[in-house]
Amino acid sequence: MLPDKHPLAPWLRLTLTPGLGPAAQRQLLAAFGLPECIYAAGFSAIAAVVGAPLAGKLLDHDAAAAVDLALEWLTQPGNAILTLGDAAYPASLLEIPDPPVVLYVKGDVTLLSQPSIAVVGARSATPQGEANAEAFATELSAAGLTIVSGLALGIDGAAHRGGLSGPGRTVAVIGTGADRIYPARNAELARRIAERGAIISEFALGIGPLAHNFPRRNRLIAGLASGVLVVEAAVKSGSLITARLATECGREVFAIPGSIHSPLARGCHRLIRDGAKLVESAADILEELRLSPPEAASAGDLAPVEGSPEEVRVLEAAGYDPVDVDTLVHRTSLTPEALYAILLTLELDGRVSRLPGGRIQRL
């Protein structure tokens, strides 16, 4: 038995017992109340709830080292551990069918109970998709919504950056232990989120990026937020799983439409066909959630095209879908040499991006 050295020790022991999954943990808590009552009940009473094999694991496994590691992590500034019995545990997660028994948090715990919206999408997003995600998140954060996402590359990272730019800030739900950051390329972003937002995980410290943990992470993204915005997604995408889970939890689902030629728009189009709300601006989302937009211009408003007459001509010919150079030559009647020179200037100015296959994307 573990010494009763910390009020969280019984909770940690319960959740850090190998083979005792979250469903069994909740069964035991429902039957006995607090974790210390579970251990006091004895083998026969525990076995009557979860069976003899799990009862044996629960009582025989020595979780002292893992519990001590978690309690040591808890002493570091900005770290917190919330349990189902904690008043600070986010009420929104109590509405999902399988709330985590324990949450590890780095950062501002109060953000977990603030009005929020999830912004998710493809890891291999287009430049325009990332720009859309950041712009929407910026405006939604300015309206006071906390931006929830999964710290992945692509849309998730852009959403977090937008959330950090406003008062709503951002929450990253990760599929690893709270002491592990995946992917490593987002380490600096994660540091900023821990300082000005929050990073949360239901997984034990030290757990790496196991594939089967990410769908579980997605249910927390959906559960925390009032709604989910899908920016770009293929038909077979984790973002669509998040959207489905949001629908099952009674949350709103929003999707940004895209080009009929883009594989990353097809997931959004499927969601819209299935009842998701088509949105063209952050104001559309705020209106649906009955929130007031900030005074800044909407992310969907089109600014006048600026630049030399030739640059404006090329940008207008490019439109907002990826386009190849031959098509631009035909649309603009420019020579390839002249077009390449203009495109180089636009690329250096950050107004267009080159995509795989030699195509051009207006930003």
Side-chain angles (χ1 to χ4, degrees):
M1 296 288 289
L2 286 173
D4 189 17
K5 58 186 177 181
H6 194 286
L8 285 176
W11 288 93
L12 291 167
R13 179 184 177 187
L14 176 68
T15 57
L16 294 172
T17 298
L20 189 72
Q25 295 166 21
R26 288 190 297 271
Q27 279 182 286
L28 289 166
L29 290 168
F32 300 106
L34 296 173
E36 47 265 41
C37 299
I38 298 172
Y39 293 106
F43 177 84
S44 297
I46 295 172
V49 177
V50 294
L54 287 182
K57 287 183 178 180
L58 184 64
L59 295 175
D60 295 340
H61 177 70
D62 183 2
V67 171
D68 286 343
L69 178 65
L71 293 175
E72 172 61 29
W73 178 86
L74 183 60
T75 65
Q76 299 171 24
N79 291 354
I81 297 176
L82 302 181
T83 73
L84 282 173
D86 197 314
Y89 190 94
S92 58
L93 290 185
L94 297 176
E95 299 172 1
I96 68 176
D98 51 351
V101 173
V102 163
L103 281 175
Y104 297 82
V105 185
K106 289 180 70 69
D108 187 353
V109 169
T110 65
L111 289 179
L112 306 184
S113 298
Q114 298 301 313
S116 61
I117 185 163
V119 179
V120 298
R123 288 175 172 81
S124 54
T126 66
Q128 187 62 59
E130 291 194 27
N132 288 342
E134 186 164 353
F136 270 72
T138 297
E139 187 166 351
L140 293 168
S141 180
L145 287 172
T146 297
I147 306 302
V148 181
S149 199
L151 198 61
L153 299 175
I155 297 301
D156 287 17
H160 288 307
R161 290 191 294 272
L164 286 171
S165 70
R169 297 186 284 172
T170 191
V171 170
V173 186
I174 61 176
T176 62
D179 58 340
R180 301 282 299 274
I181 295 300
Y182 176 84
R185 284 166 57 186
N186 275 347
E188 173 58 23
L189 177 60
R191 183 192 63 76
R192 292 170 55 205
I193 295 172
E195 289 178 351
R196 299 194 58 246
I199 298 174
I200 71 169
S201 174
E202 66 178 308
F203 301 108
L205 299 176
I207 296 294
L210 305 175
H212 61 270
N213 285 345
F214 289 91
R216 292 191 57 77
R217 174 212 54 182
N218 291 349
R219 89 192 193 288
L220 298 189
I221 293 174
L224 273 174
S226 301
V228 173
L229 169 64
V230 182
V231 179
E232 283 186 335
V235 171
K236 294 183 178 179
S237 164
S239 300
L240 268 63
I241 295 174
T242 306
R244 174 178 58 79
L245 294 169
T247 300
E248 293 173 356
C249 294
R251 310 305 199 242
E252 299 285 354
V253 177
F254 308 95
I256 299 176
S259 167
I260 61 172
H261 305 292
S262 171
L264 292 178
R266 290 173 188 160
C268 292
H269 293 170
R270 172 173 289 185
L271 290 174
I272 292 167
R273 287 196 300 270
D274 291 344
K277 295 174 175 61
L278 184 155
V279 294
E280 297 176 317
S281 70
D284 294 337
I285 297 171
L286 295 171
E287 180 180 1
E288 190 66 32
L289 297 178
R290 294 182 173 84
L291 296 171
S292 299
E295 294 182 0
S298 166
D301 293 343
L302 295 178
V305 180
E306 298 180 354
S308 70
E310 292 79 11
E311 290 170 352
V312 171
R313 184 172 161 192
V314 170
L315 289 170
E316 291 179 342
Y320 289 92
D321 287 345
V323 62
D324 59 69
V325 173
D326 289 342
T327 300
L328 282 178
V329 168
H330 175 73
R331 291 178 181 175
T332 61
S333 299
L334 292 167
T335 65
E337 293 76 13
L339 178 62
Y340 276 118
I342 295 169
L343 287 174
L344 177 60
T345 300
L346 292 172
E347 186 177 10
L348 292 173
D349 289 344
R351 304 177 72 185
V352 301
S353 176
R354 294 185 185 273
L355 303 178
R359 295 181 301 165
I360 303 299
Q361 171 78 62
R362 178 178 172 180
L363 301 178

